[in-house]
Amino acid sequence: MRIIRKTSERAGELLKTGHSGETIILMLVGIPNVGKSALANALHQVGRISALEKGKSKHATVSPQPGETKNISSLKIASHLNIYVLDTPGILPPEIFGDELCSKLALIGAIRDCIVGKNDLAHYFLAVLNLSQEYKKWLKFSAMENVRSSIYQEEELSESSHMDKRQYATDHTQDFIVNDVRRTLFEAVSTFSGDLENDKYLEQLIEVESRMLRNAFRITQSGADGHTKFAIKLLDLCRTGRLGHYVLDDIPRIS
């Protein structure tokens, strides 16, 4: 892996300039739930393979929930020059100012959903999606609606007549639901005539989408329970990448 090679080269340069010892320690530092433990594990595994080391390897605990890493752990990633990486718990500033910043951190899993609220967080994601161009990729799901409906009906018949294949039918049904969500979002955004740069119109579109998506998710509950279930399902699709990939901060262009 390139990062190990570059680190080894830099370590060799430090030793040539008079730094004592042959052990280099790196530290991974960042906000929670951005992949520090996953990176540490990958570096450790690649380092062991390149060094032809055998035996049981260590690993850092990886979790989709923030705050899983509670202690600093050390993983060896190179042996020619001994290089270790320290996987550290995520850090945040003592205070987080602004609702939008909290929503961004919660959406990527850096802080827990309850700090913002699942319903508000789902609405925030819809705002991000509506202001992006991601939904345009789902035109094909709208154009293929008649074909999808026919296949879905055949799938229901197959599920009822072949019980031993129930798992496969369930998986296919889940795919249809995801595609229904994509189709619903495409049709809602593409047919909306209001100015989405205006908060009032953006909120109107989000309310329309919320009602339509409850049908797409096959949610029968009404009221607060139904809306919370919709929010949980929508956030799950968002975080697993099935509703596209988004940059939440403005990235300055380098001229």
Side-chain angles (χ1 to χ4, degrees):
M1 187 179 287
R2 184 166 57 180
I3 190 171
I4 295 179
R5 184 173 66 252
K6 291 292 185 182
T7 302
S8 298
E9 292 173 357
R10 178 57 179 156
E13 293 172 2
L14 290 173
L15 293 177
K16 290 178 182 179
T17 59
H19 286 74
S20 60
E22 295 184 356
T23 298
I24 303 296
I25 298 177
L26 307 176
M27 180 179 289
L28 292 175
V29 180
I31 64 175
N33 212 36
V34 292
K36 297 185 297 298
S37 297
L39 176 59
N41 286 336
L43 292 172
H44 177 52
Q45 186 64 23
V46 171
R48 289 179 68 252
I49 293 173
S50 62
L52 300 178
E53 292 183 356
K54 298 181 179 180
K56 186 176 181 180
S57 64
K58 298 172 62 178
H59 71 277
T61 302
V62 178
S63 170
Q65 296 298 324
E68 184 65 31
T69 302
K70 297 179 173 60
N71 300 300
I72 297 176
S73 59
S74 172
L75 299 172
K76 191 175 185 179
I77 65 173
S79 296
H80 177 61
L81 287 172
N82 290 323
I83 303 178
Y84 293 83
V85 62
L86 300 182
D87 181 34
T88 64
I91 58 173
L92 287 167
E95 294 182 80
I96 301 174
F97 297 99
D99 292 342
E100 185 175 8
L101 179 56
C102 284
S103 297
K104 289 178 179 179
L105 291 172
L107 193 59
I108 65 172
I111 60 177
R112 298 189 181 278
D113 292 352
C114 59
I115 295 176
V116 176
K118 290 186 183 296
N119 294 340
D120 289 342
L121 198 54
H123 283 194
Y124 174 73
F125 168 67
L126 288 176
V128 171
L129 183 148
N130 293 336
L131 295 173
S132 75
Q133 301 298 310
E134 197 74 14
Y135 72 94
K136 293 182 178 180
K137 299 177 182 178
W138 303 327
L139 169 62
K140 60 183 179 180
F141 297 114
S142 180
M144 295 176 63
E145 169 61 13
N146 291 333
V147 175
R148 184 211 64 81
S149 297
S150 176
I151 295 175
Y152 184 71
Q153 290 173 1
E154 291 177 4
E155 189 65 40
E156 286 183 323
L157 292 174
S158 175
E159 182 178 5
S160 62
S161 59
H162 300 285
M163 298 300 290
D164 57 330
K165 296 183 178 180
R166 178 172 296 175
Q167 181 59 48
Y168 296 98
T170 302
D171 291 343
H172 293 165
T173 300
Q174 177 62 26
D175 291 340
F176 286 133
I177 291 176
V178 174
N179 290 341
D180 270 352
V181 170
R182 293 169 176 167
R183 174 185 57 80
T184 298
L185 289 170
F186 171 81
E187 293 178 350
V189 184
S190 60
T191 59
F192 189 73
S193 59
D195 179 12
L196 294 182
E197 297 297 329
N198 183 309
D199 289 345
K200 176 183 175 181
Y201 289 111
L202 181 59
E203 290 174 3
Q204 288 178 0
L205 175 57
I206 291 172
E207 287 299 324
V208 170
E209 289 172 325
S210 298
R211 292 195 297 270
M212 295 174 66
L213 286 173
R214 283 197 284 272
N215 291 329
F217 280 124
R218 322 297 198 254
I219 295 174
T220 58
Q221 295 96 322
S222 59
D225 289 343
H227 197 75
T228 299
K229 190 171 182 179
F230 140 76
I232 292 171
K233 288 179 175 290
L234 182 66
L235 292 173
D236 176 66
L237 293 188
C238 162
R239 288 166 174 159
T240 53
R242 285 175 286 180
L243 293 182
H245 303 279
Y246 304 87
V247 177
L248 301 182
D249 288 322
D250 294 329
I251 300 178
R253 294 183 177 179
I254 301 176
S255 57

